[in-house]
Amino acid sequence: MKEEIEKIRKEAIEEIEKIQSTSELNETKVKYLGKKGSLTKTLKNMGNLSAEERPIIGKLANEVRDMLEEKFTSKEKEIKQQELQKRLETENIDVTEPSKKSKLGSIHPITKIIKEVEEIFLGMGYKIEDGPEVEKTYYNFDQLNAPKDHPSRDLQDTFYITENIILRSQTSPVQARVMENENPPIKIICPGTVYRSDEVDATHSPVFHQIEGLVIDKNVSMSDLKGTLEMFAKKCLGENTKIRFRPHHFPFTEPSAEADVSCFVCGGKGCKVCKGEGWIELLGCGMVHPNVLRNCGIDPDVYSGFAFGFGVERIAMAKYGIEDMRLLYENDVRFLKQF
Ligand code: DAH
């Protein structure tokens, strides 16, 4: 039996040396040390040995098993190392392979209009300003010459946070903030989100966007306002666009006007987009009221200025022929990817 065990040891060592892969290693391990492996089988026959032989053979068998186990473990380490090396050599990544295309979204039509308008006014030397959406009534109304009983101050029209703090109902308070902080000449536009307590329907939303414009300098006149807005309308809506002014009232401008543009779909003949009118209402504007200049620390005897403000949704809807404003907020990719 001793010879048998020695033979197993010799054979096993030789075989272990030749092993090349993890699977071969596992097979060989089972072949010698498994439940039905040759060493295990031999040991099962120990019952046939004499009482003197048994401890000697037992000791030898344990020695051989320990030794083989050690050899298997070190071989396993060696093979793992080799396999890793092989993988590192063969599985390198080809960085020149074209990548999988991820789906890119598109610019939202509201953002698109804002960017376009910014470009136009930047080209005319304007700066882009920003202001808070949570605003003081002081800036939204008082500084802008809105009388205490002005309907827009009503709780039903404006979202109040406290008695003196609201969600701004227009971008006009940025005018007052800029005039307080900067000396003329001032030439700014301010795009931003505004809030009004309106029900949602095809042409209203409690959250929408406006762009405000303000110019303050010496000798600024109504003709500067008209020229600026005409230039803007042509750049934004097409070279053939005409503009007309109708008298209106805003507390912060005097005189005040609303401006319409000729329908850029039908050219003024009347169609679905302009609802048969030939004109589309575009914005509110006027010459900055002397009270507003004074409130903000600018001398109305030295300086004058004009201001205007319009809804971004209105322009987007007119320009892209969108009939229902809600489409702009629903985040339906089928709609949005058209722009
Ligand atoms: N803030 C006005 C509104 O929300 C729009 C407006 C009218 C802005 C005339 C102006 C302006 O700057 O001069 O209805």
Side-chain angles (χ1 to χ4, degrees):
M1 198 162 194
K2 193 174 166 221
E3 293 78 52
E4 225 175 290
I5 294 176
E6 288 296 355
K7 193 171 155 236
I8 290 173
R9 172 177 10 213
K10 192 165 163 266
E11 266 177 28
I13 290 175
E14 275 169 20
E15 250 179 82
I16 292 172
E17 306 258 280
K18 288 189 207 136
I19 290 174
Q20 302 274 9
S21 67
T22 310
S23 59
E24 259 178 70
L25 183 124
N26 289 337
E27 271 168 40
T28 316
K29 207 168 173 180
V30 172
K31 181 172 163 192
Y32 290 100
L33 302 179
K35 262 194 219 152
K36 291 180 184 161
S38 50
L39 187 64
T40 322
K41 256 193 215 158
T42 314
L43 291 179
K44 276 188 187 146
N45 296 330
M46 293 235 310
N48 305 333
L49 296 174
S50 67
E52 298 88 62
E53 268 181 318
R54 214 177 291 155
I56 299 168
I57 296 294
K59 192 168 163 249
L60 175 66
N62 282 337
E63 250 177 51
V64 172
R65 173 200 299 267
D66 290 349
M67 183 204 164
L68 291 183
E69 259 165 12
E70 224 171 79
K71 287 224 178 279
F72 276 119
T73 312
S74 70
K75 189 73 189 179
E76 194 174 358
K77 263 195 210 149
E78 193 183 303
I79 285 176
K80 286 243 161 79
Q81 186 57 40
Q82 278 170 6
E83 285 179 346
L84 176 68
Q85 192 58 35
K86 226 192 258 166
R87 281 225 319 269
L88 287 175
E89 278 162 19
T90 55
E91 290 181 11
N92 50 2
I93 299 165
D94 182 356
V95 291
T96 63
E97 278 263 309
S99 62
K100 277 190 200 139
K101 287 238 156 56
S102 53
K103 279 188 194 151
L104 263 189
S106 54
I107 308 261
H108 192 279
I110 296 289
T111 311
K112 237 179 126 170
I113 298 283
I114 292 176
K115 294 281 159 223
E116 268 179 48
V117 173
E118 283 180 354
E119 279 306 311
I120 294 170
F121 281 100
L122 282 171
M124 295 198 266
Y126 284 64
K127 266 201 320 186
I128 296 167
E129 287 286 348
D130 206 1
E133 288 172 27
V134 178
E135 182 57 286
K136 294 179 177 154
T137 47
Y138 176 77
Y139 286 111
N140 199 89
F141 300 121
D142 302 324
Q143 286 294 74
L144 296 176
N145 199 38
K148 286 285 177 210
D149 59 353
H150 194 272
S152 65
R153 290 187 185 246
D154 201 294
L155 287 172
Q156 277 172 350
D157 289 311
T158 297
F159 291 114
Y160 279 80
I161 290 171
T162 67
E163 201 186 324
N164 302 318
I165 297 178
I166 56 165
L167 296 181
R168 69 177 176 194
S169 62
Q170 49 186 356
T171 42
S172 307
V174 182
Q175 289 188 29
R177 286 180 172 274
V178 171
M179 282 189 271
E180 275 186 6
N181 281 319
E182 285 178 33
N183 294 321
I186 292 170
K187 255 175 116 176
I188 59 117
I189 59 162
C190 166
T193 311
V194 299
Y195 304 82
R196 284 188 200 172
S197 182
D198 279 330
E199 292 294 330
V200 176
D201 67 23
T203 51
H204 292 89
S205 160
V207 183
F208 62 104
H209 302 81
Q210 287 189 334
I211 298 179
E212 193 77 17
L214 175 72
V215 172
I216 308 282
D217 204 348
K218 288 179 180 154
N219 303 317
V220 177
S221 71
M222 190 88 183
S223 64
D224 296 315
L225 167 64
K226 291 179 84 171
T228 302
L229 292 179
E230 191 174 326
M231 172 88 131
F232 162 63
K234 284 184 190 296
K235 286 228 153 89
C236 183
L237 302 168
E239 277 305 314
N240 297 325
T241 309
K242 288 195 245 343
I243 190 160
R244 76 173 183 191
F245 292 81
R246 285 178 286 105
H248 202 79
H249 171 78
F250 296 105
F252 35 88
T253 42
E254 183 57 39
S256 303
E258 271 190 340
D260 305 327
V261 283
S262 57
C263 178
F264 42 87
V265 175
C266 64
K269 285 190 209 82
C271 71
K272 214 165 92 180
V273 171
C274 61
K275 299 190 182 76
E277 297 278 328
W279 294 91
I280 296 172
E281 189 186 314
L282 187 70
L283 49 73
C285 60
M287 300 307 293
V288 179
H289 198 294
N291 286 349
V292 175
L293 293 173
R294 222 172 279 121
N295 289 347
C296 300
I298 293 176
D299 184 350
D301 293 329
V302 180
Y303 292 103
S304 56
F306 65 77
F308 56 88
F310 55 86
V312 180
E313 279 77 355
R314 179 184 286 274
I315 302 226
M317 289 169 77
K319 193 165 171 171
Y320 299 128
I322 300 166
E323 283 173 16
D324 193 324
M325 194 171 184
R326 287 168 287 200
L327 286 167
L328 290 168
Y329 309 122
E330 278 168 358
N331 284 337
D332 185 333
V333 174
R334 291 168 303 176
F335 169 76
L336 292 174
K337 74 177 176 198
Q338 302 174 82
F339 302 97

